[in-house]
Structure formats: structure tokens, C-alpha cells
Amino acid sequence: MLTILDHEPCAREGLLYGVGAGGAAAFLGLFKRGSLITAGNWGFLTFGVVAIASKQVCHYYQAQRRARNRLRLGIRPDGSLINVKNFKPDGANVQNFKPDSPASDKPGNSD
């Protein structure tokens, strides 16, 4: 059963966050209410919600990281390659772009 932690991405992180939050909720419920059954119910509920939510958040961040890396490698989201010579980023006004002349950037060159 615990071998799934090695193969499933984000499972370990989700379970650890769930156990921590569930234990804290059970402890606070026991401290506040004094009933072991009610505290256990709150602990299990919190464990489940936090474990699932943190696993989903981890999957979201992995997908974002994967998409950024694919764009850095020159791969579009549809799987086609980006032609670097003709690539124009969205929102950039490429027509009015005028780079500085290289002569003005050199130190010691006073015109």
C-alpha cells in the first residue's frame, strides 16, 4: 500500500499535509469539545480534505512548470515546434522595435 508513494507524484506531500492538519484538528477538537468521537471525526474530515486539496495544488504547479519548460524548449502546447527565427511573442510590438546601435553601447566611444 505505501509503495504508491514512490510512484504517484505529489502523493507523499498530500498525505503528509493531511496527516499534520488532521492531527492538529483532532487535537484542537479534543481540547475544545472534550469528546474523543467528535474530535476524531473532525480529524478524519480535515485529513481527507487537506490531503486531496494539497495533492491537486501540487499537480497544478507541476503542470505549470511542465508547460513553462516545454515553451523554453520551443514546444507549443499543441506539440508542434516553434520556429525560433519567425517567433513573435504575443503582445510584443515587433514592428516598432528598434534596437540601440552597437556603437553607442561601447564604453569609451564618445561621438
Side-chain angles (χ1 to χ4, degrees), residues 7-20:
H7 303 294
E8 181 69 25
C10 302
R12 181 177 181 267
E13 181 181 334
L15 286 175
L16 287 175
Y17 281 133
V19 166

Side-chain angles (χ1 to χ4, degrees), residues 31-103:
F31 182 70
K32 185 176 179 182
R33 301 252 189 240
S35 171
L36 188 60
I37 303 266
T38 305
N41 287 340
W42 277 104
F44 279 116
L45 175 71
T46 306
F47 163 75
V49 169
V50 170
I52 291 172
S54 63
K55 184 178 177 191
Q56 293 301 318
V57 168
C58 180
H59 279 294
Y60 172 75
Y61 284 131
Q62 276 190 345
Q64 294 296 316
R65 195 175 316 125
R66 197 174 303 123
R68 270 194 318 268
N69 289 339
R70 288 176 62 89
L71 280 177
R72 285 181 186 145
L73 291 174
I75 303 170
R76 288 190 178 117
D78 62 357
S80 62
L81 295 176
I82 296 173
N83 186 354
V84 178
K85 291 180 182 178
N86 298 330
F87 179 67
K88 296 177 183 171
D90 295 333
N93 193 353
V94 180
Q95 295 170 348
N96 295 333
F97 177 72
K98 294 179 179 138
D100 295 331
S101 63

